[in-house]
Amino acid sequence: MVSRNEFSLPALPKILKKMSKKIFDLRNFARSAKMPIFSAISFAAIFFVLYSDHLFSGPSSSSELPQLNNQMNIDQEDYDDEGEVVDPLVPPENVTKAGRIEWFRQKLPELDLLNSNELSEKFHGRILEFFNNNCSVQFYMVWLSPAKTFGPREFLCMDSLFHSNPEACLIIVSRSMDSKHGYRKLKPVLDLGFKVLAVTPDVPFLVQDTPGEDWLEDMKSGTRDPGYIPLTINLSNLIRIAMIYKYGGVYIDTDFIVLKDFSELRNAVGAQTVDPVTNQWSSINNAVVAFDLGHPMLLEFIKEFSNTFNGNKWGYNGPAMFSRVFQRMGGSLPDYNITVLQPKAFYPVDWIQIRRLFRKPTTGSQSRWADRLLVELQDSYALHLWNKRSRELIIEDGSVMDRLIAEHCVVCQHINHA
């Protein structure tokens, strides 16, 4: 096993190969800035921050990390023999329901994420202290993957968020980012005075006195099928709702470019699709969720999650769950004072069309389409990038993505004008 702190000489070629791919990906991200100095200074700076662990891994031990890193940290430990990240909550393939439950029961002793510990018990106090900072908006992201995978795409979401919401506060709910490694990832925006904090979650506290408490106890007792979908995905669905229920604010996925100020957005979700005849929503997504603290609709979401949990259907406990609750509430929705925004608010380009935004226009009609889209996006709060469809795409010079990033980043602009 190759960890980030144990680089043997035989493993070095594999590491350099992975780094070369990351450099290539980051170079594509760097194309977004127009000024020549970006390619020399900001590319080097962001590369250093995001991937410095590969360069200075040395023989340091876990005892040298801050106290907040003295815990089971998948960012340090969970790699396979090829050095690839392994999610400890991914069940083995081709097993029966009974086999999956038994596998999960055996994994429970090492799954600190489901339990409270010394660090996570400080969670509530850290949140309250951080939000005592005159925040224009209280934002949340959830990151249950290793810190090393928090890359340029995720950094862009954070960067653009502060471009449009400079007085906002951002909480990243994450065990791995609440570490020395995670701090280095956040340092470029912290150095500019923006308010962002990574906090190890206390999941039992978050679901306490909600319907999610029974679900968590069932999972921890090893009597409920976690499903073949990684449990981290479904935990993210639950944590985002619980965070807003406890503290109020806006949850946003990490595969967005934020385009507008969110400060007037309250008790709102976004439709992903609408019926072409009635113009009424036909599906709702949970990638952006904005609610007041303690809003009763959030309890409905948690209840649906707990009562109908199915770990074998993609999206069932996320976007589909939101849609089910809204359909069930029907005529009662006006009593909840909730706004369902049109797709243009957060999902102005669907997942089928998203790759067009990464390509440079090569004809007059394509250029006109790109110009029209950029004008239309001025009415959007954010643009969802549909990560599974776009993560590997190259951002071509002059593409819509290229132009959007150049207009909606903070760190790159700061470096360009240095």
Side-chain angles (χ1 to χ4, degrees):
M1 180 176 290
V2 179
S3 77
R4 62 180 189 168
N5 291 322
E6 298 171 338
F7 285 13
S8 62
L9 287 177
L12 190 58
K14 291 180 181 178
I15 294 163
L16 292 177
K17 182 178 179 181
K18 290 183 177 65
M19 285 178 62
S20 67
K21 182 179 186 299
K22 289 176 179 177
I23 292 171
F24 178 77
D25 292 342
L26 197 59
R27 193 173 289 140
N28 293 331
F29 174 73
R31 289 178 180 175
S32 60
K34 305 300 182 185
M35 297 180 65
I37 194 173
F38 186 91
S39 61
I41 297 179
S42 65
F43 167 71
I46 296 178
F47 167 76
F48 181 86
V49 170
L50 295 180
Y51 300 111
S52 58
D53 271 8
H54 291 290
L55 301 175
F56 303 104
S57 53
S60 61
S61 67
S62 59
S63 63
E64 295 176 287
L65 298 176
Q67 179 183 2
L68 54 80
N69 217 20
N70 293 331
Q71 55 184 317
M72 190 201 87
N73 191 334
I74 58 177
D75 185 39
Q76 293 180 307
E77 299 175 358
D78 290 293
Y79 296 87
D80 63 16
D81 292 337
E82 297 296 318
E84 296 293 338
V85 174
V86 177
D87 187 336
L89 295 181
V90 177
E93 297 180 358
N94 302 318
V95 296
T96 64
K97 176 180 177 180
R100 217 166 28 236
I101 293 175
E102 179 58 29
W103 165 85
F104 189 71
R105 187 180 293 116
Q106 294 176 7
K107 294 286 289 185
L108 280 170
E110 60 188 88
L111 298 182
D112 287 354
L113 185 60
L114 300 182
N115 301 297
S116 299
N117 60 28
E118 183 179 353
L119 178 60
S120 68
E121 287 173 355
K122 301 176 183 178
F123 170 79
H124 182 57
R126 294 174 72 191
I127 296 287
L128 295 181
E129 181 180 6
F130 180 69
F131 281 154
N132 190 27
N133 277 310
N134 298 318
C135 311
S136 63
V137 186
Q138 296 179 179
F139 280 102
Y140 310 92
M141 296 176 182
V142 177
W143 190 256
L144 302 183
S145 300
K148 70 172 291 183
T149 61
F150 191 94
R153 172 66 60 85
E154 293 74 31
F155 189 90
L156 170 62
C157 182
M158 179 175 60
D159 194 7
S160 62
L161 183 153
F162 286 119
H163 177 274
S164 298
N165 301 266
E167 299 302 320
C169 295
L170 170 62
I171 288 282
I172 301 177
V173 183
S174 174
R175 183 177 295 271
S176 65
M177 291 293 286
D178 191 6
S179 66
K180 184 173 71 173
H181 189 180
Y183 174 79
R184 285 198 297 271
K185 299 276 188 172
L186 306 179
K187 193 173 185 299
V189 291
L190 287 169
D191 285 350
L192 295 179
F194 295 110
K195 294 169 282 193
V196 56
L197 177 70
V199 182
T200 297
D202 188 336
V203 177
F205 169 78
L206 280 172
V207 300
Q208 186 178 357
D209 299 324
T210 77
E213 194 168 18
D214 291 338
W215 175 85
L216 182 62
E217 288 305 312
D218 286 346
M219 298 304 297
K220 289 168 64 176
S221 68
T223 59
R224 194 160 187 172
D225 181 15
Y228 75 85
I229 296 168
L231 187 61
T232 48
I233 293 176
N234 286 315
L235 271 175
S236 174
N237 288 324
L238 176 60
I239 288 173
R240 71 187 66 181
I241 308 167
M243 283 295 297
I244 303 175
Y245 182 69
K246 292 283 188 181
Y247 303 105
V250 179
Y251 168 83
I252 186 167
D253 272 355
T254 56
D255 57 341
F256 275 89
I257 298 181
V258 178
L259 306 174
K260 189 185 289 189
D261 179 12
F262 275 58
S263 60
E264 296 184 2
L265 193 65
R266 292 182 59 195
N267 301 326
V269 294
Q272 180 178 324
T273 58
V274 295
D275 186 295
V277 177
T278 65
N279 201 36
Q280 298 297 310
W281 66 266
S282 53
S283 67
I284 292 174
N285 203 310
N286 68 334
V288 178
V289 185
F291 278 95
D292 294 339
L293 177 154
H295 195 286
M297 192 67 170
L298 296 168
L299 274 184
E300 295 294 332
F301 293 143
I302 298 174
K303 183 190 302 182
E304 181 72 11
F305 179 96
S306 179
N307 292 345
T308 68
F309 179 81
N310 187 331
N312 295 306
K313 291 184 179 180
W314 283 98
Y316 187 82
N317 311 299
M321 182 264 290
F322 268 56
S323 297
R324 290 197 306 274
V325 171
F326 272 83
Q327 289 169 350
R328 187 178 71 241
M329 303 302 289
S332 301
L333 282 176
D335 298 335
Y336 284 83
N337 189 29
I338 299 172
T339 302
V340 179
L341 299 171
Q342 289 290 305
K344 70 176 182 179
F346 309 120
Y347 317 104
V349 179
D350 65 30
W351 59 270
I352 298 174
Q353 299 292 327
I354 194 65
R355 61 178 56 243
R356 294 184 66 185
L357 276 63
F358 289 73
R359 299 171 182 159
K360 177 182 179 179
T362 57
T363 67
S365 61
Q366 290 176 356
S367 294
R368 289 189 292 274
W369 173 84
D371 290 341
R372 286 197 304 271
L373 178 60
L374 286 167
V375 172
E376 292 171 3
L377 288 175
Q378 294 177 7
D379 294 328
S380 299
Y381 283 97
L383 170 65
H384 194 206
L385 299 179
W386 307 105
N387 211 27
K388 286 189 176 181
R389 295 284 176 170
S390 69
R391 175 173 283 279
E392 301 301 324
L393 297 179
I394 295 173
I395 301 171
E396 298 181 4
D397 291 337
S399 65
V400 171
M401 278 293 297
D402 182 38
R403 295 164 67 180
L404 280 175
I405 294 173
E407 295 171 3
H408 293 279
C409 63
V410 176
V411 173
C412 64
Q413 289 180 353
H414 176 77
I415 294 175
N416 284 343
H417 292 86

